[in-house]
Amino acid sequence: MTISSDEGGGNSNEHGAAFNRYLEALRGRVGDAKYRSWFLDLGLAEMARGTVILSTGSEAKRDMLDHRFLPVLMETWRAEIGPVEQFKLTVRKTLRAQAAKINAREKQRASGASNAADFSASPKHEQAMSTIGAPLDPRRTFDAYAVGDSNRIARAAARQALIKSGPRELVYIYGESGLGKTHLLHAVSHEWNKDADRGDSIYVTYRNLINACVGAVMSNSTQEFHRTLMQNSLFAFDDIHLLQGKARTQEELLIVIDAALDSGKQVVIAGELPPSKLAESGIQKRLADRLAGGLCAPVHMADETLRLDILKKRVLSSEAQCRITDEVLEFISRTFTQSTRETIGALNQLLLMYGDEATVVDMDEAKTILRSRLEDRRKFVTLDDAIAAGAEAFGLKLEDMTCRSQPQRIVRARHAVVWCAREVLKESFPRIGKALKRDHTTVMSSYRRAQALLERDKAFQDGVKRIREALED
């Protein structure tokens, strides 16, 4: 069965009662104030074969719901309506149709099949131009940015963009999703705006850039598009890797970058891939070369210490009335390790549920609220996850776990991984051996040694406990 009824946020008569029941349950979970702020216009866009799509009225609200409230939305649906495999958020159907139309016309122009009607001006095109700049998150400042070995270079590069003396150099910050690149772009923009003598700044998402560029081309107003951007002294652009296949948008962006740097303006860009990989993925070589010629700074996966520092800073900067124990913060930093965004998302879920209450959030309450997140993680745990958890639990590098080196601390970490892979993941000795680059007889011996160590060695017990938490919770 498939239902679709997101025009204006309404719902079909057949399923309206069930969806209204879901909304009332959601109101009960998040409270009336949060419900009115974020969920009042929520609609049911589609439900088909285990997939649920909810709609809201704007991209900004959709992004906020996806970032902060998706686990609560999913958990409430499962409790009130039933099982769901995929749960998505989208903007109202009319806005999605407009976005599809823009993408289709860009493809049409790329193939040389455009016509004069494509270039007619419209109020929507003018609106796209006026909204090219996206708002800054007031929480994403340098003071709120926790620094460790994984992101120290990127933070230094971002601060370099703020130096007044000397020639301007393009700054390109790259790394996997959810590691804090957007935070740095916002932080640079906030810091820039503190000094009125610097001039204006603009922060642009890839969606806004594509919409504004396509609108300018369609209305034959690319010069106005360039002027809109060039009136700023700082240009911060996010997610450049998502411009793959958008040839005309890339061309216009390159024009703006060159003009900005030639006139002494500052350009800061973030993306997931290093410049060489961008060129391989579909970004024009000239644009990738321009990024390579700037100050390139990578952001790597945060370690447990940095994740914990990030959580503590978030708690201090929040207005929550609850107190989250250090044990809970340490548990989150150990468990939600896929990205910094995932770590912060788990904390945000606790703040959402307890932020307005003068209470202490302990481990039992935290695990109850985070149950759906923990269950989702458990579904995808692999031997590679066990090896990574072992390296982190024993303070080793990932490559130490599979190398030929035999120092005692490395061997003991392997013993712990073997035991957890066997007892927690129920893996066979041959598969464990293949993952650790050992034969299965060596792994069997390692398992027996782990059993002996568990009976008498407290440090080894603690290491196994940390690996189990990472795999089970």
Side-chain angles (χ1 to χ4, degrees):
M1 178 200 317
T2 301
I3 64 173
S4 180
S5 53
D6 67 354
E7 283 286 68
N11 299 286
S12 67
N13 293 332
E14 181 181 357
H15 298 276
F19 187 65
N20 287 337
R21 186 174 75 250
Y22 167 73
L23 293 178
E24 284 305 311
L26 189 62
R27 184 195 295 267
R29 295 197 65 172
V30 304
D32 195 58
K34 284 190 175 71
Y35 182 86
R36 289 197 307 271
S37 297
W38 297 106
F39 305 97
L40 199 58
D41 72 338
L42 208 58
L44 179 60
E46 187 174 317
M47 183 172 69
R49 295 183 180 85
T51 297
V52 173
I53 302 178
L54 301 185
S55 69
T56 189
S58 70
E59 291 186 353
K61 185 171 287 189
R62 185 272 312 278
D63 291 345
M64 181 61 74
L65 290 174
D66 187 59
H67 181 62
R68 292 189 59 187
F69 300 110
L70 185 59
V72 174
L73 291 167
M74 292 176 61
E75 192 172 308
T76 305
W77 184 277
R78 287 167 175 160
E80 295 297 322
I81 307 299
V84 58
E85 296 177 6
Q86 287 188 309
F87 201 96
K88 302 177 182 179
L89 291 158
T90 187
V91 183
R92 293 278 183 262
K93 184 176 180 182
T94 51
L95 296 182
R96 294 202 312 274
Q98 175 64 15
K101 184 177 179 181
I102 288 174
N103 285 336
R105 287 187 174 177
E106 179 151 348
K107 290 180 181 178
Q108 185 182 51
R109 282 193 307 279
S111 65
S114 60
N115 57 61
D118 288 338
F119 297 94
S120 58
S122 74
K124 290 184 179 179
H125 299 157
E126 294 175 4
Q127 183 180 18
M129 288 299 300
S130 65
T131 59
I132 185 172
L136 297 175
D137 185 340
R139 299 168 299 176
R140 289 172 167 172
T141 64
F142 279 115
D143 289 340
Y145 190 77
V147 183
D149 291 340
S150 61
N151 62 7
R152 197 180 308 279
I153 295 175
R155 183 184 182 276
R159 298 290 306 188
Q160 181 74 21
L162 297 166
I163 295 178
K164 287 187 174 182
S165 59
R168 291 292 174 192
E169 187 173 11
L170 184 150
V171 175
Y172 178 51
I173 300 169
Y174 64 91
E176 294 181 10
S177 175
L179 300 185
K181 303 184 299 295
T182 296
H183 189 138
L184 283 175
L185 292 192
H186 283 234
V188 170
S189 300
H190 280 304
E191 200 70 21
W192 187 279
N193 293 339
K194 289 181 181 179
D195 186 350
D197 293 337
R198 292 183 185 273
D200 295 330
S201 71
I202 186 169
Y203 167 73
V204 183
T205 66
Y206 80 95
R207 283 196 194 97
N208 285 6
L209 184 71
I210 291 173
N211 290 342
C213 181
V214 172
V217 173
M218 292 168 67
S219 60
N220 199 24
S221 58
T222 54
Q223 289 186 350
E224 179 188 347
F225 168 76
H226 297 157
R227 282 196 298 269
T228 299
L229 292 175
M230 288 300 296
Q231 67 186 4
N232 298 281
S233 298
L234 170 68
F235 176 47
F237 173 67
D238 211 353
D239 291 328
I240 192 170
H241 58 284
L242 294 177
L243 295 183
Q244 298 167 3
K246 308 294 184 183
R248 182 60 185 269
T249 303
Q250 292 180 43
E251 291 175 7
E252 299 301 332
L253 175 61
L254 186 57
I255 291 172
V256 171
I257 289 174
D258 287 342
L261 295 175
D262 288 345
S263 57
K265 300 176 185 293
Q266 182 64 58
V267 179
V268 184
I269 296 177
E272 287 192 1
L273 302 172
S276 60
K277 297 296 183 182
L278 279 176
E280 295 174 5
S281 71
I283 298 297
Q284 290 183 8
K285 190 175 186 303
R286 286 193 305 135
L287 180 54
D289 286 346
R290 195 72 79 254
L291 299 180
L295 181 59
C296 297
V299 182
H300 301 293
M301 189 74 71
D303 59 18
E304 184 178 327
T305 301
L306 179 56
R307 290 195 298 270
L308 181 58
D309 192 17
I310 290 169
L311 294 177
K312 289 180 177 179
K313 280 181 173 286
R314 282 276 172 162
V315 170
L316 286 174
S317 64
S318 75
E319 299 179 357
Q321 298 181 38
C322 66
R323 184 176 74 82
I324 301 176
T325 66
D326 288 344
E327 183 184 16
V328 170
L329 295 180
E330 291 167 0
F331 168 74
I332 292 174
S333 67
R334 285 198 306 272
T335 305
F336 299 98
T337 60
Q338 297 301 311
S339 69
T340 305
R341 183 175 293 129
E342 184 194 34
T343 309
I344 295 172
L347 173 64
N348 285 341
Q349 191 168 346
L350 296 184
L351 294 176
L352 171 67
M353 301 308 297
Y354 293 109
D356 297 333
E357 302 177 21
T359 187
V360 176
V361 182
D362 60 19
M363 281 294 293
D364 290 339
E365 291 170 321
K367 287 187 175 182
T368 298
I369 296 302
L370 298 174
R371 184 174 65 249
S372 63
R373 285 178 177 265
L374 295 171
E375 289 175 350
D376 288 341
R377 282 185 57 79
R378 192 176 299 127
K379 293 176 185 176
F380 302 103
V381 171
T382 65
L383 279 169
D384 288 339
D385 296 322
I387 294 171
E392 185 157 359
F394 285 84
L396 302 172
K397 296 179 180 178
L398 189 58
E399 54 265 28
D400 292 337
M401 302 300 294
T402 56
C403 70
R404 306 313 300 177
S405 183
Q406 298 292 328
Q408 186 182 34
R409 63 191 184 93
I410 296 178
V411 172
R412 286 162 65 90
R414 291 182 193 137
H415 293 339
V417 169
V418 168
W419 190 91
C420 291
R422 184 69 174 170
E423 296 298 323
V424 179
L425 302 185
K426 308 301 181 185
E427 290 283 2
S428 67
F429 286 127
R431 279 179 53 82
I432 298 171
K434 183 177 181 181
L436 287 170
K437 299 181 181 179
R438 263 72 182 167
D439 61 66
H440 75 281
T441 57
T442 301
V443 171
M444 291 172 66
S445 174
S446 182
Y447 176 76
R448 291 192 294 270
R449 290 176 179 273
Q451 288 179 308
L453 287 168
L454 280 171
E455 295 178 1
R456 57 182 170 78
D457 192 307
K458 180 64 167 60
F460 187 80
Q461 293 169 5
D462 290 342
V464 168
K465 179 183 177 183
R466 289 164 70 88
I467 298 174
R468 292 194 66 156
E469 283 182 347
L471 300 180
E472 291 181 333
D473 294 327

